Amino acid sequence: MAETVELPIIDLSSPDRISTAKSIRQACVDYGFFYLVNHGVEGQLLSKVLEESKKFFSLPLKEKMKLSRKHHRGYTPLYAENLDPLSRSKGDSKETFYVGPVEGDMAQTNLNQWPSQEIFPSWRFTMESYHKKLMSAGKKLIYLIAMALNLDEDYFEKVGALDTPSGFLRLLHYPGELGCFNEQIYGASEHSDYGMITLLASDGVPGLQVCRDKFNQPRLWEDVLHINGAFIVNVGDMMERWTNCLFRSTLHRVMPVGQERYSLAFFLDPNPDCVVECLESCCSPSCPAR
């Protein structure tokens, strides 16, 4: 049985921004993960998003496939993905739905797909409202991350990362009953996120695990507990590279626990043409840019 990791808790509303930035730095160096509280996303909205997500995933597969994933938006069925390229499993036991940017230039392309308004009259409005709230919280967090890196708080804005940031919301459903297989089946096989930061919410069902040292074998996996109202934030590969590997992009996975699990992952990435290179504040003669 896995041990439980005790992740730091970051208060986004704290008036002591310097202390908060220091706590973020320590969390990203030590864990690559932390809890985020007082983030401005109302519990009622979060509950509504989970409710609407469950409604969509309860549709017959034939109906869901009408919104099959195109341009990184839409539906992906069970076992269609395998996040670990070394795994020989039949695929991850999850189905997903992607919602791309809903504001700015990227939203003008109208690439998002939406379920029928006749069937789900408030689905699109709910997802767009949540997406906007997450984008706002994510930007506030990025300002604090800049301070955590000994940069001006508006650094990422000045380099163009926040001109038209890319925000993708991924709704996830992990089924409870998987049947019998002669192989290990994962809800989400081990991986690190490839972007800047990820903000994750869930319905409270366990399963998320992290591996703090991805270079050690055998790998030590630790359970991440749910905290009501808190997001779980993790650093992505892009941020790890941006910080010259000061911040860690931590391996994580989702294990089946015999219960249905719903979660909401929001991937926040910089403007598509933003140049990512090792930050000077993360380099030194003893630790040059990698």
Side-chain angles (χ1 to χ4, degrees):
M1 185 173 178
E3 297 289 328
T4 297
V5 63
E6 294 187 10
L7 298 177
I9 299 175
I10 304 298
D11 185 346
L12 192 59
S13 70
S14 172
D16 190 348
R17 293 169 60 77
I18 293 176
S19 177
T20 301
K22 289 180 179 178
S23 296
I24 290 173
R25 181 184 181 95
Q26 199 64 50
C28 292
V29 169
D30 291 345
Y31 300 94
F33 270 77
F34 55 87
Y35 296 108
L36 188 69
V37 299
N38 296 323
H39 38 65
V41 181
E42 301 86 352
Q44 185 176 3
L45 175 58
L46 177 56
S47 297
K48 182 66 174 175
V49 175
L50 287 168
E51 178 188 331
E52 295 290 347
S53 176
K54 291 176 183 179
K55 287 180 182 178
F56 174 78
F57 287 123
S58 69
L59 289 174
L61 179 60
K62 181 178 179 181
E63 291 300 311
K64 291 182 284 192
M65 290 302 294
K66 291 178 181 179
L67 298 173
S68 181
R69 184 174 168 184
K70 300 172 186 174
H71 307 291
H72 303 291
R73 285 110 164 142
Y75 175 72
T76 302
L78 282 172
Y79 309 116
E81 294 182 332
N82 191 333
L83 295 175
D84 179 4
L86 301 179
S87 172
R88 296 181 179 178
S89 75
K90 64 181 292 183
D92 292 343
S93 60
K94 67 178 186 302
E95 53 180 343
T96 70
F97 192 94
Y98 269 108
V99 177
V102 300
E103 296 180 293
D105 295 341
M106 294 183 71
Q108 302 307 314
T109 57
N110 293 319
L111 295 176
N112 278 324
Q113 303 188 69
W114 305 105
S116 167
Q117 194 166 2
E118 293 181 1
I119 303 175
F120 301 128
S122 60
W123 207 92
R124 176 173 180 173
F125 176 77
T126 300
M127 298 304 164
E128 288 182 331
S129 298
Y130 185 71
H131 192 293
K132 292 173 184 176
K133 285 281 188 178
L134 263 293
M135 181 62 76
S136 176
K139 285 182 177 179
K140 291 177 183 176
L141 182 55
I142 293 298
Y143 281 103
L144 287 167
I145 287 175
M147 294 173 63
L149 294 167
N150 299 321
L151 301 166
D152 293 338
E153 65 174 326
D154 61 348
Y155 172 82
F156 290 106
E157 184 175 11
K158 288 190 293 188
V159 298
L162 302 181
D163 288 350
T164 311
S166 171
F168 276 80
L169 172 62
R170 191 180 201 191
L171 315 178
L172 297 113
H173 171 227
Y174 302 90
E177 297 299 325
L178 299 176
C180 296
F181 296 97
N182 295 322
E183 58 181 304
Q184 175 69 64
I185 297 294
Y186 298 94
S189 48
E190 64 180 67
H191 66 285
S192 57
D193 295 347
Y194 54 78
M196 195 175 185
I197 59 170
T198 305
L199 294 88
L200 178 75
S202 80
D203 61 356
V205 174
L208 177 63
Q209 295 183 329
V210 298
C211 173
R212 284 188 266 172
D213 195 337
K214 55 190 170 187
F215 301 109
N216 266 4
Q217 292 290 347
R219 288 185 170 135
L220 175 64
W221 291 96
E222 299 172 288
D223 290 328
V224 178
L225 298 182
H226 174 78
I227 295 180
N228 284 335
F231 287 116
I232 297 171
V233 178
N234 66 278
V235 172
D237 298 342
M238 182 187 296
M239 183 61 79
E240 183 179 75
R241 293 188 178 196
W242 223 334
T243 63
N244 199 26
C245 296
L246 174 68
F247 287 4
R248 64 171 70 190
S249 179
T250 301
L251 282 177
H252 50 286
R253 68 186 185 183
V254 176
M255 299 297 292
V257 293
Q259 293 177 264
E260 274 190 302
R261 182 176 191 268
Y262 293 87
S263 63
L264 313 164
F266 185 78
F267 304 97
L268 178 56
D269 295 329
N271 203 52
D273 61 1
C274 179
V275 176
V276 177
E277 54 189 354
C278 288
L279 298 165
E280 287 187 15
S281 66
C282 300
C283 301
S284 67
S286 61
C287 186
R290 301 193 182 192

